[in-house]
Amino acid sequence: MPEITRFAPSPNGVLHLGHAYSAIRAHDLAGANGAFLLRIEDIDGERSRVDLASGFRADLAWLGLAWAEVPQQSARLDSYRAAAERLRGEGLLYPCTCTRAQIAQAAGTIGADGPVYPGTCRNGVTDPSAPAAWRLDVAEGLRRTGPLTWHDALAGEQQARPDLLGDVVLVRKDAATPASYHLAATLDDAADGVTLVTRGLDLFAATHVHRLLQALLDLPVPRWHHHGLLAEADGRKLAKRRGSPALSDLRHAGEDGPALAADLRAGRFPAGLHLARSVGCYS
């Protein structure tokens, strides 16, 4: 059946082959009568570079993909604020002034996003003079919603376990980055009518939190498709921060974009790369 899918890159670095694989999967899963959306997630503070978005569009066109563009995240700030205010008014958010170092020292568990927040500030801000982020009280949220499930096209039915990530930040301390990925992406997918959220396995655990947010904010519940990630020989996924080969470099070198897309679809990857299907490969 036709699906509405999306590719949602952040303009804090150029796209690489891993992004190409993800975009192609989302594009193809939309089906001939569906819709493939492009959403620019540009609220990563000073790391977001406006000039990179035009390169993203050029890269997708070079691969032979067609898309419909929806508003970028910087145009949706009011919706993030409204959702945060609703959750705050319902007693589901609390302020947190802990630093990363404090969390790392106090955390007893390491989750998919790193040290799991131990709840230090849940019963009151420890440092009233410091900037505060706002965290979701996951236990209270689950108490109100009851058990939740979500469906992944590859892994099947899942019991929602947002507790595995702890009380995640929904509103950051930094005013230049007003909403966390968890809040913004969940609201955006609902606003854009996405029916199949297609993204990499490295975000599988985040979906537990997103399912809880959907229940708390009365949002529609899509299905998910968490695909494997292109990885290097040592098992590490391709990443902007490690300088993985840029699509723009291949494009400017005159390589055949549609031929590359065909190879990625067929599982023919450049030498030294493979498709990793285990979340454990990315720790």
Side-chain angles (χ1 to χ4, degrees):
M1 62 179 292
E3 299 279 9
I4 299 176
T5 66
R6 51 60 160 185
F7 176 58
S10 298
N12 54 21
V14 295
L15 301 186
H16 52 62
L17 287 170
H19 294 110
Y21 182 79
S22 189
I24 290 166
R25 291 298 296 270
H27 172 273
D28 293 356
L29 286 168
N33 298 315
F36 169 58
L37 309 179
L38 172 64
R39 182 173 71 230
I40 305 298
E41 298 194 338
D42 62 341
I43 58 168
D44 196 9
E46 295 181 354
R47 296 178 62 201
S48 290
R49 293 170 46 193
V50 176
D51 59 299
L52 289 177
S54 59
F56 293 174
R57 299 181 188 98
D59 289 340
L60 295 180
W62 171 70
L63 290 168
L65 306 183
W67 67 91
E69 190 155 350
V70 294
Q72 57 198 32
Q73 286 188 331
S74 58
R76 306 178 189 240
L77 301 185
D78 287 346
S79 71
Y80 308 151
R81 294 189 186 101
E85 283 302 314
R86 173 177 170 178
L87 294 171
R88 191 180 291 115
E90 294 176 359
L92 289 164
L93 298 186
Y94 62 88
C96 172
T97 60
C98 294
T99 65
R100 290 184 179 181
Q102 289 170 332
I103 295 169
Q105 184 176 19
T109 306
I110 302 297
D113 288 342
V116 174
Y117 184 67
T120 307
C121 295
R122 189 180 296 113
N123 297 316
V125 178
T126 57
D127 184 359
S129 66
W134 287 82
R135 291 183 177 273
L136 176 65
D137 188 335
V138 169
E140 176 60 19
L142 284 173
R143 188 190 68 79
R144 299 188 191 186
T145 65
L148 300 168
T149 61
W150 54 277
H151 186 83
D152 182 80
L154 300 178
E157 198 75 4
Q158 303 292 313
Q159 185 74 32
R161 290 289 312 278
D163 55 296
L164 295 175
L165 281 78
D167 290 352
V168 297
V169 170
L170 295 189
V171 181
R172 298 183 178 182
K173 296 177 184 179
D174 182 6
T177 309
S180 74
Y181 170 76
H182 297 300
L183 181 62
T186 302
L187 291 170
D188 294 346
D189 286 338
D192 295 337
V194 174
T195 61
L196 183 65
V197 178
T198 305
R199 58 192 181 197
L201 266 176
D202 53 339
L203 291 169
F204 191 95
T207 305
H208 293 301
V209 173
H210 300 182
R211 180 65 187 92
L212 176 58
L213 287 173
Q214 289 159 354
L216 294 173
L217 294 169
D218 302 313
L219 300 175
V221 180
R223 294 180 302 112
W224 283 264
H225 180 110
H226 291 94
H227 57 74
L229 301 182
L230 284 188
E232 298 170 351
D234 61 5
R236 295 188 301 172
K237 68 175 182 177
L238 302 186
K240 298 174 186 176
R241 65 181 181 276
R242 291 204 309 276
S244 296
L247 295 184
S248 56
D249 290 342
L250 302 177
R251 173 165 51 86
H252 291 139
E255 293 205 21
D256 188 328
L260 172 62
D263 284 342
L264 293 177
R265 286 187 176 99
R268 297 187 295 267
F269 306 124
L273 300 183
H274 68 283
L275 189 65
R277 294 184 173 87
S278 170
V279 178
C281 293
Y282 313 118
S283 59

